[in-house]
Amino acid sequence: MNSRQPIPVVVLTGFLGSGKTTVLNHLLANRGGTRIGVVVNDFGSIEIDAMSVAGQVGDSMVSLGGGCLCCAVDGSELDAYLEKLAAPVHRIDVIVIEASGLAEPQEMVKMLMANENPAIRYGGMVQVVDAAEFDATRARHPETDRHLAVADLVVLNKTDRVDTAERTRIEAALGTLCGPGIPVVGADHGRIDPELLFDRRPWTETRGQLSFEDLLAEAARQADEADGTAPADGAGHDHGHGHERCGHVHAAYESIEFVSEQALHPRRFLDFLDRRPAGLYRIKGFVHFGVPGHEERYEVHAVGRFLRFAPGPWGRGETRLTQLVLIGAGTDGPALLRELEACREPAPRQVPPESMWGVLRYVDRPADTPAED
């Protein structure tokens, strides 16, 4: 990972029994080569034995056993843990905080937004909801509605335990409780596509010291051998194997790619982002605006209401262009591409610099290095 890019910190929340740990375990087991740092209140059913063997405890995982994460005094305890995980020696790509079931997500988000460590950035809040206990949870915890209102992505878990009519009713209720355009992803046993939250790196088998990635791959291979689904040649350590293990959850989504050698007009592009449909779960990539004074390459990451731009230099000799990937379900792909086409700007040098003000609102901090000419 580029050392100049801050590490995204994703907050995973949900009331007791909603399936947060199950979701986290699924992300860990299907992360490809991505290095995930984890902060949890208690270990629960997370595969700590494997992590211990791999030397991960105290390295890429820390435990907050003294209560809710949001109760850490003035954020200093959380800051210390995040600083430890963000150390370059760990080469962490993303950090996931599994909050206590009784934590206050708003306080956690405020703590992350106020964090002054340039090595990390807030990466959005994911709320896990138990479909089978939806009404009961709201009755026991009236604050559920407040939590849903600030979520960037909602995982409607345990959908296998409700019928179609009940799921439709719950999704309609979530549509009124969540903010406009907030994606609601259905899942059973916590199986969501990790690509909705972070990019998976190409997996390569390590040599020498046993790693957590090796242990997970070996466990998957042994499980396949036990049920007779392992490949005849004993393979099973490739990136595709993780997709098989997660039940092809990615098949429920469609990916749309957009590339433009012309610059995009910042205001028209922001209008597009403001209008994005709820079924469009994630947008990632790089945008070329080319506006005077803002010729950098702008990395964009959007999940639900969460939106972030990160300016950075173009590589020497790199072609200035926009490259976007849109991940969603039930969306009109051709219509989305037409809207993006309408964002093209043939004369970016004539666009006034103040047109970038909207984009700059979503920049965490200035780029560390200037753009190359």
Side-chain angles (χ1 to χ4, degrees):
M1 184 173 183
N2 190 329
S3 61
R4 290 193 296 265
Q5 294 296 325
I7 301 170
V9 180
V10 177
V11 179
L12 183 63
T13 69
F15 286 101
L16 298 172
S18 61
K20 297 187 305 298
T21 300
T22 304
V23 171
L24 179 56
N25 274 333
H26 174 75
L27 294 175
L28 290 171
N30 296 278
R31 58 182 176 163
T34 300
R35 292 179 63 85
I36 304 177
V38 180
V39 179
V40 294
N41 285 91
D42 55 75
F43 290 135
S45 59
I46 296 173
E47 298 171 350
I48 279 299
D49 290 341
M51 289 186 173
S52 297
V53 173
Q56 297 297 314
V57 176
D59 183 302
S60 63
M61 169 171 272
V62 292
S63 172
L64 291 172
C68 292
L69 184 57
C70 61
C71 297
V73 179
D74 68 20
S76 60
E77 185 179 8
L78 173 60
D79 291 346
Y81 284 127
L82 293 177
E83 182 176 1
K84 179 179 181 180
L85 287 175
V89 66
H90 301 315
R91 297 180 291 113
I92 295 295
D93 298 307
V94 61
I95 297 172
V96 178
I97 299 176
E98 183 193 354
S100 160
L102 301 178
E104 279 294 335
Q106 297 97 322
E107 296 305 314
M108 213 170 303
V109 171
K110 288 179 184 177
M111 290 163 61
L112 289 171
M113 296 293 285
N115 192 294
E116 297 182 353
N117 185 347
I120 65 170
R121 63 170 174 81
Y122 174 57
M125 189 188 100
V126 180
Q127 178 84 9
V128 182
V129 174
D130 184 340
E133 299 291 333
F134 179 68
D135 294 327
T137 299
R138 291 184 69 198
R140 288 194 305 269
H141 303 286
E143 61 270 32
T144 298
D145 294 1
R146 186 174 70 250
H147 295 182
L148 288 168
V150 298
D152 298 300
L153 174 71
V154 175
V155 176
L156 182 59
N157 196 29
K158 306 183 185 180
T159 54
D160 56 315
R161 295 178 56 188
V162 298
D163 58 28
T164 301
E166 177 67 357
R167 176 174 174 174
T168 299
R169 181 188 71 84
I170 295 172
E171 289 177 340
L174 290 172
T176 64
L177 295 171
C178 300
I182 296 304
V184 177
V185 181
D188 62 84
H189 300 91
R191 294 179 296 187
I192 64 171
D193 195 328
E195 293 284 351
L196 297 180
L197 302 180
F198 54 80
D199 294 328
R200 281 181 284 196
R201 312 292 181 189
W203 192 91
T204 56
E205 187 173 1
T206 57
R207 303 293 180 186
Q209 184 179 3
L210 191 64
S211 72
F212 184 38
E213 201 78 57
D214 293 325
L215 290 168
L216 287 174
E218 177 63 17
R221 185 186 65 79
Q222 292 177 356
D224 282 346
E225 287 179 348
D227 63 22
T229 60
D233 61 358
H237 294 275
D238 62 349
H239 175 51
H241 184 75
H243 281 244
E244 295 170 10
R245 296 291 302 168
C246 67
H248 292 284
V249 293
H250 63 290
Y253 314 121
E254 57 186 8
S255 178
I256 303 167
E257 296 184 3
F258 174 77
V259 179
S260 174
E261 294 184 359
Q262 276 190 343
L264 300 191
H265 193 288
R267 287 178 179 166
R268 292 200 291 270
F269 184 58
L270 276 182
D271 287 343
F272 166 80
L273 294 175
D274 288 339
R275 296 192 307 269
R276 62 192 186 273
L280 185 55
Y281 301 138
R282 185 184 180 199
I283 302 174
K284 60 179 181 176
F286 300 95
V287 184
H288 171 46
F289 293 116
V291 176
H294 302 279
E295 291 88 355
E296 304 98 327
R297 181 182 71 169
Y298 281 78
E299 178 187 0
V300 60
H301 175 67
V303 176
R305 74 166 70 238
F306 177 73
L307 173 64
R308 182 189 67 89
F309 286 97
W314 296 96
R316 189 173 302 277
E318 183 178 359
T319 301
R320 271 65 165 165
L321 49 75
T322 293
Q323 296 177 293
L324 297 173
V325 175
L326 295 78
I327 302 173
T331 55
D332 186 340
L336 290 173
L337 291 176
R338 285 194 297 271
E339 290 188 51
L340 285 169
E341 293 283 352
C343 296
R344 293 178 187 264
E345 174 52 55
R349 301 293 300 175
Q350 298 177 21
V351 175
E354 56 267 27
S355 66
M356 287 291 296
W357 290 350
V359 171
L360 297 179
R361 287 174 48 215
Y362 296 100
V363 173
D364 290 336
R365 53 183 63 85
D368 293 333
T369 54
E372 294 181 10
D373 293 329

